[in-house]
Amino acid sequence: MGLLTNLRDSISRVTDGLFAADEPKRIGIYGPPNAGKTTLANRIARDWTGDAVGPESHIPHETRRARRKENVAIERNGRKVNIDIVDTPGVTTKVDYKEFLEHDIDKEDAVRRSREATEGVAEAMHWLREDVDGVIYVLDSTTDPFTQVNTMLIGIIESQNLPVLILANKTDLPESDVKQIANAFPQHETIPLSALEGENMDEVYTKIAEYFG
Ligand SMILES: Nc1nc2c(ncn2[C@@H]2O[C@H](COP(=O)(O)OP(=O)(O)OP(=O)(O)O)[C@@H](O)[C@H]2O)c(=O)[nH]1
Ligand SMILES: [Mg+2]
């Protein structure tokens, strides 16, 4: 009897260990430049781990290499999800170094930044095809969502059958138009938020646990 109990305890320790070792889901934060991806990644990381992911900036293409925050454990309504957050560079069809010149950056630095941003976008696109388990797609709700990049990226995400949450960011701004985003992608749920002000983060976490848990 003692032997059986020991055996059962050993088996349950092994199976518990297997569940605890569950690989975290790799969630890519995608979207156009300046949408607020890094602001959101930092808010999620700070809320659940206390650390940030990377610098945020009004200068587009601030994130030129993907940055990762591993093992962010989010718990919502009894659902737990362990995610690795990958903050990616904003995707555009063309990175023009002249964009940086408007922000008082000298030409040499501008050319270097645009080259890095182009490589970063290529890398992020590669991961989208190979290496993410789900996507948080961030849009600036004060800008028109009907762009080639958004349509193309959402199309790729759908063709990969990846779970995707569309976030309409910057709801704190008066020009914010969440409906416009919901209308552009009616096949998906659109969640409004302000990553900067922390508005509606409760719903964002509930949806993260629901979609990626
Ligand atoms: N008003 C407002 N501004 C925001 C919000 N989220 C981000 N921003 C601002 O938008 C700008 C861009 O934010 P980032 O988080 O760097 O944007 P990103 O999408 O990571 O940009 P790239 O790395 O260049 O692709 C910064 O000036 C942020 O402070 C928001 O919810 N409301
Ligand atoms: Mg960024």
Side-chain angles (χ1 to χ4, degrees):
M1 196 59 187
L3 191 66
L4 266 183
T5 313
N6 282 347
L7 191 63
R8 202 178 51 211
D9 284 352
S10 308
I11 290 172
S12 89
R13 264 199 304 278
V14 170
T15 49
D16 284 350
L18 279 178
F19 284 116
D22 240 1
E23 283 287 294
K25 301 277 174 58
R26 186 168 295 173
I27 305 304
I29 303 187
Y30 283 84
N34 256 332
K37 299 178 294 301
T38 304
T39 308
L40 174 72
N42 283 340
R43 181 166 289 279
I44 298 175
R46 283 203 195 99
D47 279 354
W48 299 93
T49 73
D51 303 327
V53 175
E56 306 153 14
S57 169
H58 66 286
I59 304 172
H61 312 293
E62 178 62 24
T63 311
R64 297 184 294 283
R65 276 284 180 271
R67 285 164 183 261
R68 188 170 302 176
K69 180 84 199 158
E70 291 178 338
N71 275 311
V72 180
I74 294 177
E75 198 177 340
R76 227 37 185 191
N77 305 329
R79 276 184 99 113
K80 276 189 198 160
V81 53
N82 192 12
I83 59 175
D84 290 347
I85 301 171
V86 186
D87 176 28
T88 70
V91 176
T92 41
T93 46
K94 184 170 187 276
V95 185
D96 187 347
Y97 79 88
K98 292 191 194 76
E99 278 182 73
F100 295 105
L101 299 179
E102 293 159 20
H103 294 278
D104 264 356
I105 290 171
D106 70 42
K107 188 174 169 192
E108 197 183 328
D109 195 17
V111 170
R112 180 184 58 79
R113 282 181 186 230
S114 58
R115 191 177 307 130
E116 283 175 3
T118 305
E119 285 167 11
V121 168
E123 194 177 61
M125 292 306 296
H126 176 76
W127 284 342
L128 187 55
R129 291 189 303 266
E130 308 278 328
D131 214 15
V132 293
D133 302 311
V135 173
I136 295 176
Y137 199 82
V138 182
L139 288 162
D140 175 344
S141 62
T142 70
T143 64
D144 180 8
F146 286 102
T147 65
Q148 281 184 23
V149 163
N150 291 335
T151 309
M152 181 191 74
L153 276 178
I154 298 283
I156 294 172
I157 293 161
E158 287 170 348
S159 70
Q160 303 279 97
N161 286 319
L162 290 168
V164 56
L165 257 185
I166 296 188
L167 302 189
N169 191 30
K170 308 199 185 183
T171 53
D172 57 294
L173 297 176
E175 320 87 274
S176 165
D177 185 352
V178 175
K179 228 184 174 119
Q180 191 174 219
I181 295 180
N183 289 342
F185 307 104
Q187 68 279 37
H188 299 286
E189 201 173 357
T190 297
I191 318 294
L193 83 152
S194 165
L196 189 67
E197 303 291 338
E199 286 170 15
N200 207 33
M201 289 307 295
D202 270 348
E203 190 183 6
V204 171
Y205 292 134
T206 302
K207 293 293 174 185
I208 287 176
E210 189 184 311
Y211 276 62
F212 309 126

